[in-house]
Amino acid sequence: MGLDAKSAIGVFDSGVGGLTVLKEIYRQMPWESIVYFGDTDRLPYGNRSQPEIITFVREILDWMASQQVKMVVMACNTSSALALEVLRPYYSFPILGVILPGARAAVHQGKRIGVIATPATVKSNAYLNAIRESSGGAAQVWQVACPEFVPLIEQGRIFDPYTKEVATDYLRPLIAHKIDTLLFGCTHYPHLAPLFGQILPTEVQLVDPAVSVTRAALQELSLLGLSHPYPYRQGQTRFCVSGCPEQFAQLASRWLAQIPIVEKVVPSAVRLTS
Ligand code: DGL
C-alpha cells in the first residue's frame, strides 16, 4: 500500500530530547500530525553499544510502520549516528536523521566547530566525518562526550547548580580551542541552551540540528507529494513512551506549555522487518 499524505509523521527519541524537534515541526509545519515516541524505559541510549541501539531502533521503526506513518524523523542523534544507514533500506517510508542536516548547518555558521554529544555519537565520529565532508575539510572539529547531561535533563535538573558545574567542565576544552560554533549533537542539549549562554563567549553561535532536519523533512514531503493536503488545519500529536507516561507528561509540560496525554506502548511487541 502506498503512503498517505494524511498520515502522521513519526518522531522518536530516547526521551524528552526529541521535543526540541517536535517544537520545530510545530513552528515550520503546524498542519502535520505527529506520532511521538520516547523510549524512556531504555534511556539513556548514549552509553549503549551499536548492536543494542540497532535492535531498539528497529523495534521502534517496526512500531512506526504499524502506525502507518508517512515518514520518520529520527530525532535521536545517537540513533541517527549508529542505526540510520543500517536500517533505512528495510522500510518503505522515508527516514530522516539529524547528522547531515546538523553538520551542514554548523558548516554554514562557522569554521571552528565544537560538537557536544553522547559518548556513542562521539565514538561513531558521525558528526566529525559529516562536518569534514560538508566543509571540504575547511572546518576544524572538536568533540566532547557529555554522559551526564541526559540523566540531568530527564530528572528536570536544568537549573541545578551542579548542572552548571558539569556544563562548565564539558565546555572548557572547546572554549580553549576558541570554537566559533557549538553544535548540539544530542536532542536533549538545546534544553540547556540558556545555561550554555552563561558559560560560552558571546560570539559562539549555537546550532540546533532540529531546525535543519525539519526544513529537510518539509522539502522531502513536498517532493514526494506527501505534504498534508489541508495546510490550514492544526495537526494533532499523539505522545507514546515505553516508560512511565505520568513522568514524561510532567517533564514534557515544561516545554510544551500544556500537560500532554501520554500512552504507554511496547514497540518490542511488534516485529515486521525480516
Ligand atoms: N537524545 C538522544 C540523542 O540525541 C539520546 C540521548 C540518550 O538517550 O543518551 O542522542
Side-chain angles (χ1 to χ4, degrees), residues 13-16 39-45 48 150-151 154 188 242:
D13 185 57
S14 57
V16 289
D39 200 359
T40 51
D41 194 38
R42 300 188 287 198
L43 165 149
Y45 275 21
R48 293 185 182 270
V150 170
E154 288 286 336
H188 282 74
S242 56

Side-chain angles (χ1 to χ4, degrees), residues 13-14 17 43-47 75-78 118 121 150 185-188:
D13 185 57
S14 57
L43 165 149
Y45 275 21
N47 305 327
C76 176
N77 291 251
T78 311
T118 65
T121 301
V150 170
C186 172
T187 42
H188 282 74

Side-chain angles (χ1 to χ4, degrees), residues 183-258:
L183 175 61
F184 294 139
C186 172
T187 42
H188 282 74
Y189 303 170
H191 292 313
L192 295 175
L195 187 60
F196 296 151
Q198 293 169 24
I199 300 167
L200 291 166
T202 45
E203 61 274 17
V204 176
Q205 302 285 326
L206 304 179
V207 174
D208 179 358
V211 179
S212 44
V213 75
T214 304
R215 199 178 305 128
L218 181 66
Q219 283 166 357
E220 183 139 349
L221 286 174
S222 159
L223 269 172
L224 297 171
L226 287 174
S227 307
H228 196 284
Y230 308 128
Y232 301 110
R233 70 172 207 138
Q234 180 69 47
Q236 306 289 312
T237 305
R238 191 177 148 212
F239 291 94
C240 304
V241 294
S242 56
C244 174
E246 292 77 23
Q247 196 181 328
F248 182 89
Q250 203 200 14
L251 197 56
S253 65
R254 292 186 180 198
W255 293 292
L256 296 171
Q258 55 160 330

